[in-house]
Amino acid sequence: MFQRKKDSNELRMCCDYCALNKKTVRNRYPLPLSADCFDKLAKAQVFSMLDLRNGYYQVWIDEGDVKKTTIVTRYGSFEFLVMLFGLCNAPTMFCTLMNDVLRPYLDSFVVAYLDDIVVFSDNMEDHENKYNTHPTRSTPNPLK
């Protein structure tokens, strides 16, 4: 189904994945407590925040699962190759992925909460060194 956006009047595709979500085995992911996140940031003086709101679209769906996302319209059949918001495990899959990528740095100078990442330090010089550390250089890159 296509609906018009209120602000720009352009068409937006809307998909109903209720049937697929009912058959999906839920991936249970415990959210970190916000109080614990704030405790880790208590002594820091310098902060940088990264919002990965579009990060879901960087996570590829396994080849065997692509056909499960197929939608049929009068214009043809379409399959999603990347994670989409309508799938029930999308947020938990993304959180798990971010924790796997950032694992060497979590709690030492990085806090990850859903799609937000905070890099924190005691001073600016330390912060620049930490901020420029590339986690994908030390771990295999799970993103395609």
Side-chain angles (χ1 to χ4, degrees), residues 1-140:
M1 175 168 82
F2 290 93
Q3 287 196 314
R4 294 202 180 276
K5 286 186 178 183
K6 290 180 183 176
D7 56 348
S8 65
N9 208 24
E10 65 184 67
L11 289 177
R12 179 178 62 174
M13 186 172 55
C14 300
C15 304
D16 183 11
Y17 284 107
C18 291
L20 178 60
N21 286 338
K22 285 180 185 176
K23 294 182 180 186
T24 301
V25 176
R26 302 277 196 247
N27 180 2
R28 305 287 182 204
Y29 179 83
L31 286 178
L33 298 173
S34 57
D36 290 345
C37 294
F38 287 125
D39 288 345
K40 291 176 182 73
L41 302 174
K43 296 179 182 177
Q45 300 292 316
V46 183
F47 306 92
S48 292
M49 186 167 167
L50 305 168
D51 185 6
L52 302 176
R53 136 181 89 192
N54 291 328
Y56 290 92
Y57 300 118
Q58 303 301 314
V59 180
W60 288 73
I61 295 176
D62 287 336
E63 287 182 34
D65 294 331
V66 169
K67 59 183 134 187
K68 296 176 186 174
T69 66
T70 302
I71 59 169
V72 179
T73 68
R74 64 181 177 179
Y75 304 110
S77 297
F78 300 94
E79 295 176 340
F80 285 92
L81 301 177
V82 295
M83 191 68 65
L84 57 152
F85 284 106
L87 299 177
C88 64
N89 282 339
T92 56
M93 181 64 205
F94 185 73
C95 290
T96 302
L97 175 66
M98 287 299 98
N99 280 337
D100 289 347
V101 170
L102 297 171
R103 190 164 316 284
Y105 313 109
L106 282 177
D107 302 332
S108 60
F109 64 90
V110 173
V111 173
Y113 189 83
L114 295 176
D115 65 346
D116 295 318
I117 297 173
V118 179
V119 179
F120 59 93
S121 305
D122 294 333
N123 58 53
M124 186 55 104
E125 184 178 318
D126 239 4
H127 190 71
E128 288 176 1
N129 291 336
K130 291 175 182 177
Y131 192 79
N132 290 325
T133 301
H134 296 284
T136 54
R137 290 185 184 166
S138 60
T139 59

